[in-house]
């Protein structure tokens, strides 16, 4: 099998990025089209950072941004169930949603801990410097996730452009 989709050494051009370890095993680290190139020229795959952030109970989705920007930042959505438990534990109004709580100092401190933990896996140049809570979750129903639960990055970047700009002010 040869052709445009295959390299001279027999590899298929899938668009995936990865590395071979010393035993010859391939570890996929991201997709070529989803690579962020910062203003300083640092290339990074956002998925590993996003995956680490999503392990925090309060975080539903995380979208790392920073293409042609001076540093990496993140948009974060909150898990509704975990947010309800957190509000009860810290005495916040039950009806308060992500839009009302996005500047809450206690919530921001909890999320900063998650960001700091995620940053331990990457270099300083790749680390998330700022983050912003989005007022809504990203779901398949509201069109921000595909049926396989992948984030529609272009749509998020378009619809939340003002939030992204705020990260760089």
């Amino acid at each position: 099998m040869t052709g445009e989709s295959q390299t001279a050494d027999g590899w298929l051009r899938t668009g995936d990025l990865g590395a071979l370890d010393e035993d010859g095993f391939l570890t996929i680290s991201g997709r070529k089209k989803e690579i962020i190139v910062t203003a300083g020229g640092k290339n990074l795959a956002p998925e590993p950072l996003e995956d680490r952030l999503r392990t925090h109970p309060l975080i539903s989705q995380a979208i790392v941004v920073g293409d042609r920007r001076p540093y990496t930042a993140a948009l974060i959505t909150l898990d509704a169930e975990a947010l309800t438990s957190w509000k009860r534990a810290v005495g916040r109004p039950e009806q308060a949603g992500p839009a009302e709580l996005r500047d809450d100092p206690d919530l921001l401190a909890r999320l900063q801990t998650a960001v700091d933990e995620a940053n331990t896996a990457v270099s300083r140049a790749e680390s998330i410097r700022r983050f912003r809570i989005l007022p809504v979750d990203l779901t398949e129903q509201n069109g921000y996730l595909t049926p396989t639960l992948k984030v529609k990055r272009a749509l998020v970047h378009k619809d939340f452009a003002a939030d992204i700009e705020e990260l760089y002010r």
Side-chain angles (χ1 to χ4, degrees):
M1 170 185 217
T2 59
E4 285 183 34
S5 64
Q6 191 173 18
T7 65
D9 57 0
W11 289 94
L12 293 177
R13 297 180 197 276
T14 64
D16 292 310
L17 297 175
L20 292 173
D21 66 16
E22 59 271 358
D23 296 324
F25 290 100
L26 177 64
T27 301
I28 303 293
S29 60
R31 301 271 306 150
K32 186 173 184 178
K33 67 181 180 179
E34 294 176 353
I35 291 298
I36 292 172
V37 182
T38 65
K42 180 68 178 166
N43 292 353
L44 68 114
E47 290 91 352
L49 274 170
E50 293 167 350
D51 291 345
R52 290 180 66 97
L53 285 170
R54 279 192 295 268
T55 64
H56 190 278
L58 280 169
I59 297 176
S60 173
Q61 293 293 332
I63 303 90
V64 173
V65 297
D67 205 36
R68 297 182 303 255
R69 302 288 189 150
Y71 54 85
T72 305
L75 300 172
I76 292 175
T77 65
L78 302 175
D79 180 271
E81 288 180 34
L83 183 60
T84 299
S85 297
W86 177 83
K87 288 187 292 188
R88 272 192 221 113
V90 298
R92 296 301 184 271
E94 191 174 313
Q95 69 277 11
E100 294 82 22
L101 295 170
R102 72 191 305 180
D103 295 319
D104 184 283
D106 293 334
L107 180 59
L108 292 173
R110 288 283 306 269
L111 295 175
Q112 185 63 57
T113 301
V115 169
D116 293 344
E117 176 62 31
N119 283 342
T120 64
V122 297
S123 71
R124 172 80 173 131
E126 297 170 302
S127 66
I128 296 168
R129 308 273 176 88
R130 297 186 69 195
F131 66 90
R132 186 157 174 82
I133 299 170
L134 294 181
V136 297
D137 197 2
L138 306 181
T139 65
E140 186 179 356
Q141 291 75 24
N142 64 17
Y144 291 111
L145 298 181
T146 68
T148 59
L149 304 181
K150 302 279 189 248
V151 173
K152 294 180 181 178
R153 290 179 188 278
L155 184 59
V156 170
H157 282 253
K158 178 178 153 266
D159 288 357
F160 297 102
D163 290 285
I164 294 171
E165 286 305 315
E166 189 64 33
L167 289 166
Y168 296 97
R169 287 196 179 131

